[in-house]
């Protein structure tokens, strides 16, 4: 059975990545793609990689076909999802939101960081947080509701929070990390993470052969990471931009909590992490001594995690690598959709990157 | 039914691309991968993108498991295939060779350009030339022989010749190109085309932020292109290296043959090309006015072709874009294998690149 | 003695390259930089590489300080120079124009290719064509006029025409190239050549890991190359875009004119070229067998030329490498200014690129 | 007066950067360049950017001309400098060492981290530590000794320690950083930092489109950073590799030491830093709110520093950007040489990067 799927905001990078995945999904039929700014334009004229794949053209967000879908992926900027999700849910459409609008539990925190009031805070109580490996219950409940005929809302985790949390959460949840410690998160992303809009920063000649940090001490993913790890106010997050298209590497510094923790070996930590992620098809914990490279996972929905222990300072250094558009956005969205719809979790998702 | 497949020379770039494709092929079972220099090393330790995909490790080329295969892809340097193919064929193994060893019809030309005598010229008469869209009969005959129980040999076309010929052959075969004209072929390739070996040219700091031409007037693909197009001695081929990993663009200058030809419109030429390639799943002829980008096809087995006519000089400019490792090597090899084995031609092959 | 210099259109890439060169020029004092869109903004806030170098901020093009300059570099788009040059010349300011507005001898050709009428065709008769190595007389005459107190106009050659002509002109002028032959020019440029404006093509994610041809059979540099080489209607020019910032490589195919020409050795051609360019500080003809790499000249005003002969087709393949912003635009402009002002030709110009 | 200068290990990246700078230095005459592996090869054949600049060819390290120099730059791997420096000093040659061999005060620490015994520990007491902005006295004393006729030894700081320390030292030395806190240093470097040797990591196809951390918790620059900042055992350093040639960005996390410190504004910190670096020509502290980009300084000897304060965790985030080959190696070496020889500190050094 093929679910009728729509993608709102399909012209942006996360949106078109969703298009790519939905087009190759055995149980999805891509019914409508929307982009107000590009209404009428064929998808394959904007993205020639789709030549011969589909004749779809962009509609407007308010195209009635959207509400006819079984499931809609929202790939629009923050506040735009606030505007669209309630109406879609009301129309019985299950919504998988790639934006930040429904991620933060506390609407006051949302308002503080995103500069806009949260217009549907009641949905924050019922939505599933979309990071399957760390919030399996949320999605399990959403799947039950869906099976019972309800439209559900999933708020997919952001790209930096995904890589960061997959690398850090097992240690944090195992109580290995000092309770009041500052958790430094230093991450690097390729330029697709900055979005399709043209700026001095995203112009090829601004980004090429350059490294820079941005939004230091004020990036919106800070409260999201803190929420996922359960460490409000203790996360210090610095994103950086590097000259590549896809790829996100997050290096997380976790001060270990006690001498017992400090006597851990990397080998045993790797075992703990593997146990934590047992049965999860999209997280690979590398052997002790090996650290992940983003090129290993680019184009796929896999996250690779590597661990090291710095004895001198008693710190666990956990490194997570993902493709920011796939596992960091659209791939994770499809993965969540699969779970909610009761499909195999890996359906339609690439499980390996290109070797070179 | 799963065919037992081996890949000889699986550690190089073309070889590991073949590994990637075979691993995801519904009818292939990857039985053995060889690399003398890396004997014993796990594939996923050399190429972490394969983590969780396979436990295979490299054997030596003379591993008996190779001769137990139904089909073997040879991804070794020229002359190494000469050494291995005869023995494999004798053992009843169908061989798909990615090297140049069996491409050229005339062993004297091979010796002239590759600097080594051809040690099994008799195979040149019976091998199928592996460029399905242009030599369908070769592969159809090979498929018949295989169905009749024979081991067959396929010599896959080279990367530059593939992009070049797919762009040029329809016009040449239609008699549109002046008979004695010099055909200028100016192509650009990403660095995977230069191979895995480390040189000043392939070191990141040698290739990055650099453009250069190489092997001007002496590149070995010259006679191959000339043979495919049926224009011996009339092809002038200049390859260039550019800073990207995968991607190959060939711009072919075809002097048109008569006023009739010169009155052609691009639209009608596009129609002619589309008719020529009708039913071929891996060649897309872009609409008049559109030219191909390698990023549209990177990671896929698709070739995109674009056409333009320069009235002032009476020249057809045909541009072909491929992924040099996929359609330019391993993807084409799998495509040929599919045909020879009587499988759907697209089996296991990626039909679309990443949109971004 | 320091000349007061202004740069109109200093915010674009060619303009800011001119800023860089003028700031380090021993005889120039940068008095004013203009950009209507960025009026009031400090240069070093738009381009942090200038931190500590200057406190200049952008003025408007009509800032009276512009007409107070001894010499002004116009780095504005075509037609904008048409609007500004006459007024500046009238005010006694010597103008070095980096745009195309005064390059083409024939205003009808300008109108045909640039889609706008030429509003000061009389200036085309008196302007100096700015490619010093090939039009020394033009600049010598301009220098005389300037010494006599006249304001002069220099129209700097475009980037593709510069690399192409430096590679081809010696052979063409020596009568080695068949008179009616089509001259194929196949060139590749880095993305700075596409300008500062943001488009799908210049967005990092559009340009990275991609190769494409553009403006095939219709690029405006076609008539300019034909004019420089004296081959109207015989030039077929195809530009390509590659993923790097600075660098332009032009491969020129010159059918040789006679058996005499065909018996030339590359060594003797190299000697001829070196004789042609004797005493010219910015053109280096590489030894026989060596071809230029753009990374060798990036950041400098040097052009490197390499030669090869294809015996089979009787073609001289000449390759020219430049930095498209320096020798291809602003560096050439400063070089012309030096000559016109009677300064050492190399004054303030970088004579070597970075080795790595 | 021109000092006779030699460069030992001139074929590697740091060495050839030293060649570039020495060739353009008004007071240096490049007398000899050595590379055992490349004995006899012309410099400009290995590095065509030097065409027309010099006819020098590589000698062997034991070329007597080396000991005839006034000053020699050692750009050889660690332990190779140990082998050469004593003999050169004895011969009266002033030695500026780019390697790690004489950086660490404690020979036991050297042995622990570099895996080799220190063969001339007595020199550690007398050598000057080569980071002019932070160890001005060392170089002032060396200059006095040199003026008095002595040969002196300078040990230039490493690339990561340079960027890190310039960003962090002013705050640490002002007592703003909590005394026992772990100082996290998370840095990213372009591939020239990995050296000229070819490995899977430095092959274009290994480095392009990839991000990775390496040598986590065990990079040799850790003790050097700790020594410079005076925080033994408190530094946790993670280097990363990104796809660019030149450029190094270091993000340093400095937990602030008291409420007083936590009430600092970025503006006042910027003022403090500017006071600290007053008169230093090669360090630019960016205005509050601005963070450095490596492209601003690539090709130059400038370090740019930016500051931010994270109130939630009470951490100063200091970011330093340099060109790893220039200010991170050869530029710093020339800067030190200038000071030791009593020349203007900026002599021969590029003070600005390319704007684009």
């Amino acid at each position: 059975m093929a679910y009728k799927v729509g993608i709102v905001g399909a012209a942006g990078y996360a949106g078109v990545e969703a298009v790519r995945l939905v087009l190759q999904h055995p149980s999805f039929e891509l019914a409508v793609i929307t982009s107000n700014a590009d209404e009428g334009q064929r998808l394959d004229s904007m993205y020639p990689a789709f030549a011969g794949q589909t004749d779809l053209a962009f509609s407007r967000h308010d195209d009635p076909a959207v509400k006819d879908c079984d499931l809609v992926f929202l790939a629009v900027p923050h506040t735009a999802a606030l505007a669209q999700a309630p109406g879609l849910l009301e129309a019985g459409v299950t919504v998988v939101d790639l934006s930040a609008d429904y991620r933060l539990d506390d609407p006051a925190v949302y308002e503080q960081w995103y500069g806009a009031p949260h217009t549907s805070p009641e949905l924050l109580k019922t939505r599933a947080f979309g990071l399957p490996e760390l919030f399996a219950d949320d999605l399990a409940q959403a799947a039950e509701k869906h099976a019972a005929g309800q439209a559900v809302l999933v708020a997919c985790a952001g790209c930096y929070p995904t890589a960061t949390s997959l690398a850090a959460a097992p240690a944090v949840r195992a109580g290995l990390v000092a309770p009041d410690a500052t958790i430094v998160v230093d991450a690097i992303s390729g330029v697709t993470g900055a979005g399709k809009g043209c700026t001095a920063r995203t112009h090829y000649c601004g980004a090429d052969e350059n490294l820079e940090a941005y939004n230091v001490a004020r990036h919106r993913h800070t409260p999201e990471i803190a929420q996922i790890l359960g460490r409000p106010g203790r996360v210090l997050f610095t994103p950086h931009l590097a000259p590549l298209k896809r790829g996100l590497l997050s290096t997380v510094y976790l001060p270990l909590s006690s001498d017992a923790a400090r006597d851990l070996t990397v080998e045993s930590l790797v075992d703990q992490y593997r146990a934590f992620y047992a049965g999860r098809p999209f997280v690979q914990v590398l052997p002790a001594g090996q650290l992940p490279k983003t090129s290993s996972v680019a184009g796929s929905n896999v996250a690779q995690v590597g661990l090291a222990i710095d004895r001198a300072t008693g710190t666990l250094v956990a490194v997570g690598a993902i493709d920011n558009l796939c596992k960091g956005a659209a791939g994770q969205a499809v993965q969540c959709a699969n779970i909610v719809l009761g499909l195999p979790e890996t359906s339609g998702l690439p499980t390996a990157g290109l070797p070179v």
Side-chain angles (χ1 to χ4, degrees), chain A:
Chain A
M1 181 217 151
Y3 292 94
K4 249 161 87 183
V5 169
I7 299 170
V8 171
Y13 289 154
V16 79
E17 177 73 343
V19 172
R20 161 176 98 97
L21 297 173
V22 170
L23 280 178
Q24 67 182 37
H25 196 294
S27 309
F28 291 170
E29 176 212 312
L30 185 55
V32 59
I33 53 173
T34 83
S35 170
N36 285 359
D38 308 293
E39 183 185 4
Q41 188 180 357
R42 280 180 66 105
L43 172 72
D44 62 6
S45 99
M46 182 183 288
Y47 291 102
F50 288 116
Q53 300 278 309
T54 173
D55 290 321
L56 278 172
F58 297 103
S59 316
R60 296 186 57 80
H61 296 332
D62 56 14
D63 182 340
V66 177
K67 288 190 171 170
D68 272 350
C69 292
D70 299 307
L71 183 145
V72 159
F73 293 102
L74 288 183
V76 285
H78 62 92
T79 70
L82 289 182
Q84 304 200 38
L88 289 169
L89 292 167
E90 221 157 301
V93 183
T94 280
V95 174
V96 179
D97 183 16
L98 280 66
S99 86
D101 284 352
Y102 293 96
R103 294 181 195 153
L104 297 169
D105 293 331
D106 185 340
V109 176
Y110 176 84
E111 178 157 358
Q112 174 195 344
W113 285 86
Y114 287 87
H118 202 289
T119 51
S120 39
E122 67 288 353
L123 290 176
L124 296 175
K125 297 186 182 65
T126 54
R127 63 85 170 103
F129 189 84
L131 217 187
E133 294 81 7
L134 300 185
F135 295 92
D137 289 350
D138 268 42
L139 288 161
Q141 287 173 38
E144 284 177 32
K145 291 188 208 170
H146 185 271
Q150 260 183 273
V152 298
L153 170 62
V154 180
C156 297
C159 54
Y160 286 117
T162 296
T164 300
S165 306
L166 290 176
V172 176
R173 291 184 181 182
L176 297 176
V177 181
D180 295 313
T182 294
I183 294 176
V184 169
V185 178
D186 192 292
I188 321 169
S189 176
V191 186
T192 48
K196 191 181 176 193
C198 261
T199 66
R201 179 173 277 152
T202 60
H203 191 294
Y204 185 86
C205 303
D208 188 45
E209 295 299 295
N210 182 48
L211 299 167
E212 57 182 292
Y214 65 99
N215 282 1
V216 179
R218 54 193 187 86
H219 194 283
R220 290 165 168 159
H221 285 170
T222 303
E224 191 182 326
I225 296 169
Q227 172 182 297
I228 295 170
L229 296 181
R231 295 295 173 103
R234 308 313 310 140
V235 170
L236 171 46
F237 168 53
T238 307
H240 299 75
L241 208 63
L244 66 165
K245 279 204 289 185
R246 292 174 176 246
L248 191 156
L249 195 79
S250 187
T251 304
V252 194
Y253 297 87
L254 301 157
L256 294 165
S257 63
S258 71
D259 296 305
R262 287 187 196 102
D263 293 332
L264 274 174
T265 61
V266 179
E267 289 75 9
S268 69
L269 256 169
V270 165
D271 288 343
Q272 282 193 50
Y273 267 62
R274 287 178 169 173
F276 184 96
Y277 289 120
R280 309 291 345 190
F282 289 116
V283 178
Q284 297 166 356
V285 183
L286 299 179
Q290 216 180 308
L291 294 167
K293 313 181 343 172
T294 61
S295 60
S296 303
V297 296
S300 86
N301 198 47
V302 171
Q304 285 193 347
V305 173
L307 306 167
I309 295 176
D310 182 73
R311 301 279 166 209
T313 62
T315 311
L316 163 62
V317 182
V319 183
I322 60 170
D323 176 324
N324 54 292
L325 290 186
C326 201
K327 182 52 170 163
Q332 179 138 265
V334 169
Q335 185 184 352
C336 291
N338 284 341
I339 294 172
V340 165
L341 299 176
L343 298 167
E345 192 176 345
T346 58
S347 240
L349 286 166
T351 51
L354 296 177
V356 68

